[in-house]
Amino acid sequence: TISADSGGANEVILHGKTGLLFPVEDSKALAAHIETLITDPALSAELAKEGKVYATEKWNKQHICLQLYKIYGDACAANNL
């Protein structure tokens, strides 16, 4: 995965481990990342593998639900609810 480093992309992609991030509006950096993955199939495969593992562990339904319960619980506790 290649993405601009904006929004939540840097939470989903760990640069150099699960994908590659480039500065917003930096087309030269984007092109360099594309070239890197085209010319280094082993790196491309490793990033894809690690990205799938990371996504499965961190962004699965159970994990997201637990995070939401914690956020709501903290908000309720802070407001004595």
Side-chain angles (χ1 to χ4, degrees):
T1 300
I2 302 172
S3 177
D5 190 1
S6 67
N10 59 8
E11 291 183 36
V12 179
I13 300 168
L14 305 175
H15 182 74
K17 180 170 170 114
T18 64
L20 299 173
L21 296 169
F22 63 93
V24 174
E25 298 185 19
D26 188 344
S27 59
K28 288 183 181 182
L30 170 60
H33 286 335
I34 292 169
E35 182 177 2
T36 295
L37 295 184
I38 289 171
T39 59
D40 191 345
L43 175 62
S44 181
E46 182 65 19
L47 293 175
K49 182 182 111 189
E50 290 298 321
K52 184 175 181 179
V53 169
Y54 184 68
T56 301
E57 291 174 357
K58 184 160 174 105
W59 304 106
N60 65 60
K61 181 180 174 182
Q62 181 180 5
H63 185 78
I64 290 171
C65 285
L66 290 173
Q67 287 178 318
L68 286 173
Y69 287 139
K70 182 179 180 336
I71 290 167
Y72 290 138
D74 291 348
C76 289
N79 291 290
N80 295 319
L81 300 174

